[in-house]
Amino acid sequence: MTTAAEPGPARPDPSLSAIISERRHLINLAYRLLGSLADAEDVVQETYTRWYAMSREQQEAIESPGAWLTRVAGRICFDLLGSARARRERYVGEWIPEPLPDRTEWINGRPGGTTLDPADRVTFDESVNMAFLVVLESMTPAERVAFILHDVFRYSFAEVAEIVGRTPAACRQLACSARRRIRAAQSPVTTTAQHAGIVRDFKQAWEAKDIDALIGLLDPGATVISDGGGLVNAVLRPIEGSERIARYAIDIADRIPNMTILERTVNGQPGLVAQQDGVTVTVVAFDVAGDRITRIWAVRNPDKLRPWTAGQQH
């Protein structure tokens, strides 16, 4: 029996579990808005920091904590997107969104702690495939936020307006503009099985150094974009044309004889991972139209390969 002089066990905060349960939603939102899991994690951390900086009375005065957290996270992302152009101008070479592995491919074991599985936090759908994320990069910050919040997460334009500082009508126009960009960039629909088969054929042709087979799998106007971030060797400008790409692939195979190529899921779609001595050094995503590869994105920046390399032996 607890007396007045003896403090009883601390009562759990009934709102705490509800606040923490918003984390997955916030990670999903921030990753789609920023194209970077690392940045998304930082945004969510800052969002929670702002929540816990308030007094209990201030927290209890907020009618919908989930809506508050979303609004704050969205605003932080909007501000980050606004400054991203200056950051990208300093970036060495091309910038590609950070690729995410399938749940089964996520490697746990960060030194001194554990790494959460991003598949438990980021829901894989068409809004996270690499081609979609790349189109999002072409949008203005306001277009991207309006489109993602309204079309992907189903927030009203009134709610979007609070984040981007525009009227609901203006947000509606922003989302329409974003949809036009998406439609203009969309490739004809290819089933996952077709996509996987073409990627597998590309892998086999690459391993066999079969230049004619590679050219046959590539659209004549295909493009390769590589992202090394200035930290590792990578082509600084896109490579265009099926023959040039095929010769580039063969050159890589010749220069790295101990390279192992594995079929892996990249942002929910069939892709490839290149390893050297058991360590992932490149993650490759593909855009396929019909029976040809139209775009290839090769992420080599080690900072963007954290989910693929944590715990691997170097």
Side-chain angles (χ1 to χ4, degrees):
M1 186 173 178
T2 303
T3 68
E6 296 173 331
R11 288 182 300 172
D13 179 357
S15 67
L16 181 60
S17 61
I19 293 297
I20 297 302
S21 69
E22 292 292 327
R23 178 178 174 80
R24 178 174 179 171
H25 167 73
L26 297 175
I27 284 284
N28 270 282
L29 176 68
Y31 176 73
R32 285 164 174 79
L33 287 176
L34 301 175
S36 165
L37 181 61
D39 288 347
E41 289 173 333
D42 289 343
V43 165
V44 174
Q45 181 66 35
E46 173 62 21
T47 300
Y48 278 115
T49 297
R50 294 187 188 184
W51 171 264
Y52 288 114
M54 294 189 294
S55 67
R56 175 66 70 88
E57 291 74 21
Q58 289 173 315
Q59 293 171 356
E60 291 175 346
I62 294 173
E63 184 175 344
S64 173
W68 185 92
L69 291 168
T70 295
R71 189 163 60 249
V72 171
R75 186 69 205 187
I76 295 171
C77 288
F78 181 60
D79 291 341
L80 284 173
L81 287 168
S83 62
R85 180 167 297 175
R87 297 199 309 273
R88 300 285 163 76
E89 286 175 355
R90 297 192 298 270
Y91 196 81
V92 178
E94 299 287 332
W95 192 95
I96 298 175
E98 181 180 337
L100 293 183
D102 181 73
R103 175 193 305 273
T104 58
E105 297 301 330
W106 176 264
I107 299 170
N108 289 308
R110 182 178 296 170
T114 58
T115 302
L116 294 176
D117 183 340
D120 288 338
R121 296 175 292 167
V122 178
T123 304
F124 292 111
D125 58 26
E126 67 276 2
S127 68
V128 295
N129 73 50
M130 192 61 74
F132 194 92
L133 290 175
V134 168
V135 178
L136 293 179
E137 287 297 315
S138 70
M139 298 179 184
T140 67
E143 282 177 334
R144 186 167 183 166
V145 172
F147 175 77
I148 291 295
L149 280 169
H150 180 267
D151 284 44
V152 178
F153 288 94
R154 302 302 176 190
Y155 284 90
S156 70
F157 285 120
E159 292 170 305
V160 176
E162 292 184 27
I163 293 173
V164 299
R166 311 281 182 92
T167 65
C171 291
R172 185 184 299 276
Q173 290 301 314
L174 289 167
C176 286
S177 175
R179 279 183 223 117
R180 286 195 294 270
R181 291 181 189 262
I182 294 288
R183 285 195 296 268
Q186 277 182 330
S187 299
V189 176
T190 303
T191 68
T192 300
Q194 289 173 313
H195 189 121
I198 291 168
V199 170
R200 183 173 299 117
D201 290 343
F202 184 90
K203 170 184 178 290
Q204 293 171 349
W206 193 6
E207 290 173 327
K209 301 180 183 179
D210 187 338
I211 191 166
D212 291 331
L214 286 171
I215 291 173
L217 290 165
L218 292 158
D219 184 88
T223 303
V224 166
I225 295 176
S226 183
D227 178 347
L231 302 175
V232 294
N233 289 330
V235 290
L236 299 179
R237 291 182 174 81
I239 298 173
E240 300 178 345
S242 55
E243 186 170 342
R244 288 188 64 204
I245 293 170
R247 294 190 183 282
Y248 173 66
I250 299 298
D251 180 58
I252 291 174
D254 286 337
R255 286 190 287 111
I256 312 175
N258 64 335
M259 181 174 66
T260 301
I261 305 170
L262 306 170
E263 294 178 43
R264 292 291 184 263
T265 298
V266 181
N267 284 62
Q269 291 191 317
L272 298 176
V273 166
Q275 294 186 342
Q276 285 179 262
D277 302 320
V279 177
T280 296
V281 293
T282 307
V283 173
V284 187
F286 297 83
D287 195 18
V288 175
D291 59 354
R292 298 288 182 93
I293 295 167
T294 55
R295 289 178 290 180
I296 300 173
W297 297 278
V299 181
R300 304 203 67 236
N301 183 340
D303 289 344
K304 295 184 179 183
L305 299 181
R306 294 179 310 127
W308 308 79
T309 59
Q312 288 182 337
Q313 296 299 312
H314 292 268

